[in-house]
Amino acid sequence: MLISMKTARHIFALICYVCFFNLPGLSAQDNRQRFPDIEKRDQELPIPPTSFVPQDTEPDKTITIDMKDDSEVYLGNGVVYKGFVIDDKIPGPTFTCEEGEVIEWVVKNSGSRPHGLSIHAAYTQTSEYLGNIAPGEEASVVFRATYPGVYMYHCAPAGHATPMHTLLGQYGMIVVKPKQKYRLEEVLEKDPDLEIYLLQHEFYANGKDAVEGQGKPMYVAFNGQPFRYVRDPIKGRPGDYVRIYFMNAGPNLLSTLHLVGIVWDYAYWQGNPENILTGGQTVTSGPSDTWVVEFRIPPDEGDYTIVTHAFGSASKGAIGILNAQEDADRTTPELADGPVYTENEWEELREDIKRTISPFEPGSKDVDPVKKYPPGTSEITVQIIGNSYYPKVIEVEPGTEVTWINEDVFPFLEGEFSGAHDVFVIDGPEPFRSPMLKHAESYTHTFTEEGEYEYICSPHPYMKGIVKVKERD
């Protein structure tokens, strides 16, 4: 009988627990049944209970997502991004549920790497159930959505891979709708005319830019594409009651959401109707911070610009338009999903591709040009940083020593092989493979034969680099 590596690890851990501590073996579900007093206490408190429910609880709603890696999404204007996706898009799908509902969340891994999921709306253990899902496998968790608000979900296979897979594009929004009405809904005695789910996020061209400092993205977007709502404005009408569910997924930069010509009637930190603020021009959000903001479109037609007032991000794509016209066909609900294209649409788009970016492999030449070194250079260093080689493509003369040094600093926990890398030539005149390199460890190879060497990191084969060896003219 064949078993998965994940199952084998669980069996091994259980054997160790029983043998070394001489205690009866307890499954995760049995372990949860050991704390009825805690469950009883939580039910009696004047605050919502945690999200814990037994895993065999019948769900009110089932959510299913599919994790993939080494995929492409279209950013508009002839630009393609190659990264990791959920349901073939960045951001992943937008989900909503009602406060108090029991949710079953199923994660399928159709990729070639381990994946997992962190659900910020779940006030309970999730990594035990959804961590480190092997390729071709699926896993699930059941929980009760007890606190209303706007929450992030993102890939979490554990260890070094959790921040990296999030950086690469695996994240989305779930909104737990409150039983209590938001204040403007009470004041106007009506539901919103226009609901906008707005997610700000970043795209990186290399791992170095993704992890150093506060991050240096090539593009910043609302809902999947830079300037998406400039090209295709969100439509409303003068007088409309508008509610925005906002999230800054980051994963690095601060956002200050603002609508030109609008003062919030009400803003709610983390989207909880009890966390209410009145008036205001912006809401400030670090990565994974969320808000609900509500306002009325003035009795005046025209464009109301949606922007982060951190203008560096705005200039890279975090700008949109809410266009108000008397007879507009309202865009509602506008979800935070990234766009998805059919195969036929992709064929048409590919005819006009100008640029490809990718954090972990060489993109188009304008993004990742060949790094050439002056004649006579005998020693060169390539950094391994942010699950990426930097520079990704180098050209050297025969006899040059190239040293790779691992600058990734997170060697802990399970998950996709944590923070250790190697250099494995898969195509070239002289195949070679370095040992595994932990943080600050290095490997040097002297190139003697001319030609092009394509290499990968064997535990992270989406990481790719090229060394071109040629005599200078």
Side-chain angles (χ1 to χ4, degrees):
M1 180 178 67
L2 297 177
I3 61 174
S4 70
M5 289 297 294
K6 182 178 180 181
T7 302
R9 283 197 302 270
H10 287 170
I11 292 172
F12 178 74
L14 185 61
I15 291 171
C16 290
Y17 186 72
V18 173
C19 292
F20 287 101
F21 293 96
N22 196 28
L23 292 172
L26 295 173
S27 69
Q29 182 59 30
D30 291 335
N31 188 54
R32 293 302 180 266
Q33 292 172 347
R34 294 171 59 203
F35 305 109
D37 292 345
I38 297 176
E39 294 180 56
K40 182 176 183 297
R41 179 205 66 185
D42 287 353
Q43 294 296 332
E44 295 173 350
L45 292 174
I47 57 176
T50 68
S51 294
F52 166 77
V53 294
Q55 290 301 292
D56 59 359
T57 303
E58 185 71 22
D60 298 302
K61 178 177 289 186
T62 296
I63 293 171
T64 302
I65 61 172
D66 191 6
M67 300 279 203
K68 295 181 181 177
D69 40 69
D70 206 16
S71 300
E72 292 181 333
V73 296
Y74 185 65
L75 303 189
N77 201 39
V79 179
V80 167
Y81 174 80
K82 194 170 184 180
F84 287 14
V85 298
I86 300 176
D87 286 8
D88 297 312
K89 50 193 169 186
I90 303 174
T94 306
F95 297 109
T96 64
C97 66
E98 301 297 323
E99 179 186 349
E101 282 189 318
V102 175
I103 308 299
E104 178 189 35
W105 200 309
V106 181
V107 180
K108 298 181 178 180
N109 183 356
S110 296
S112 61
R113 313 303 309 152
H115 291 290
L117 196 68
S118 174
I119 307 167
H120 290 197
Y123 189 175
T124 187
Q125 172 67 254
T126 56
S127 58
E128 182 172 351
Y129 304 101
L130 298 180
N132 205 16
I133 304 168
E137 294 189 358
E138 67 176 62
S140 65
V141 68
V142 181
F143 67 95
R144 190 183 300 277
T146 56
Y147 272 95
V150 181
Y151 295 96
M152 184 176 182
Y153 68 87
H154 60 88
C155 188
H160 173 80
T162 293
M164 294 315 306
H165 288 205
T166 305
L167 282 160
L168 293 171
Q170 289 182 316
Y171 44 77
M173 177 192 293
I174 178 170
V175 176
V176 181
K177 297 290 185 73
K179 294 176 181 178
Q180 175 184 340
K181 290 183 178 181
Y182 288 107
R183 183 67 60 84
L184 193 55
E185 187 176 349
E186 293 178 336
V187 170
L188 297 178
E189 298 182 335
K190 61 178 290 186
D191 294 333
D193 300 297
L194 188 60
E195 286 190 300
I196 303 169
Y197 298 79
L198 193 68
L199 190 153
Q200 181 178 321
H201 57 120
E202 303 143 21
F203 292 100
Y204 291 88
N206 61 71
K208 184 180 177 71
D209 286 349
V211 302
E212 286 195 341
Q214 295 303 307
K216 184 182 176 182
M218 179 162 278
Y219 303 108
V220 183
F222 289 140
N223 296 356
Q225 292 183 332
F227 306 111
R228 177 178 178 178
Y229 299 116
V230 175
R231 293 190 295 269
D232 186 16
I234 297 170
K235 296 179 176 60
R237 299 178 183 180
D240 274 355
Y241 162 23
V242 182
R243 180 185 295 160
I244 297 179
Y245 305 90
F246 178 70
M247 172 189 294
N248 176 22
N252 287 318
L253 302 184
L254 190 75
S255 170
T256 53
L257 180 69
H258 172 68
L259 265 77
V260 178
I262 298 296
V263 175
W264 316 131
D265 287 313
Y266 300 104
Y268 312 85
W269 178 69
Q270 302 292 336
N272 190 317
E274 293 190 359
N275 302 331
I276 186 169
L277 298 173
T278 303
Q281 59 196 314
T282 59
V283 286
T284 302
S285 310
S288 85
D289 271 345
T290 60
W291 293 84
V292 165
V293 294
E294 298 188 302
F295 58 92
R296 295 153 292 151
I297 299 179
D300 203 358
E301 294 182 315
D303 289 338
Y304 295 83
T305 303
I306 306 167
V307 62
T308 172
H309 233 272
F311 279 158
S313 295
S315 67
K316 293 183 177 183
I319 297 178
I321 299 292
L322 170 57
N323 178 257
Q325 300 295 329
E326 181 179 5
D327 298 320
D329 185 9
R330 294 184 178 98
T331 309
T332 191
E334 178 62 24
L335 300 180
D337 303 30
V340 175
Y341 298 92
T342 66
E343 290 186 12
N344 289 338
E345 288 171 332
W346 262 114
E347 287 182 11
E348 293 181 10
L349 291 171
R350 290 187 188 284
E351 294 178 1
D352 192 37
I353 296 301
K354 303 179 180 70
R355 168 179 289 176
T356 298
I357 70 170
S358 171
F360 48 79
E361 67 175 56
S364 50
K365 291 182 179 179
D366 61 326
V367 178
D368 291 305
V370 179
K371 175 70 173 178
K372 297 182 179 181
Y373 296 86
T377 302
S378 59
E379 297 179 356
I380 292 168
T381 298
V382 175
Q383 291 181 302
I384 306 174
I385 184 168
N387 276 34
S388 179
Y389 300 104
Y390 189 85
K392 297 177 190 172
V393 186
I394 63 173
E395 183 177 298
V396 301
E397 295 177 308
T400 302
E401 287 186 355
V402 178
T403 297
W404 288 266
I405 184 166
N406 184 6
E407 299 293 354
D408 279 337
V409 298
F410 191 175
F412 310 106
L413 305 179
E414 285 190 5
E416 185 183 7
F417 203 72
S418 292
H421 303 286
D422 67 359
V423 178
F424 181 20
V425 173
I426 58 172
D427 188 23
E430 298 178 283
F432 65 87
R433 184 175 185 175
S434 76
M436 294 304 304
L437 306 175
K438 296 181 181 180
H439 174 61
E441 293 180 343
S442 62
Y443 172 77
T444 300
H445 179 81
T446 301
F447 288 88
T448 58
E449 293 191 34
E450 289 190 80
E452 184 167 300
Y453 298 75
E454 181 180 351
Y455 64 94
I456 63 171
C457 172
S458 58
H460 311 102
Y462 52 84
M463 293 171 55
K464 298 175 182 178
I466 296 173
V467 178
K468 298 184 177 185
V469 181
K470 60 183 297 185
E471 293 282 1
R472 292 296 175 85
D473 295 333

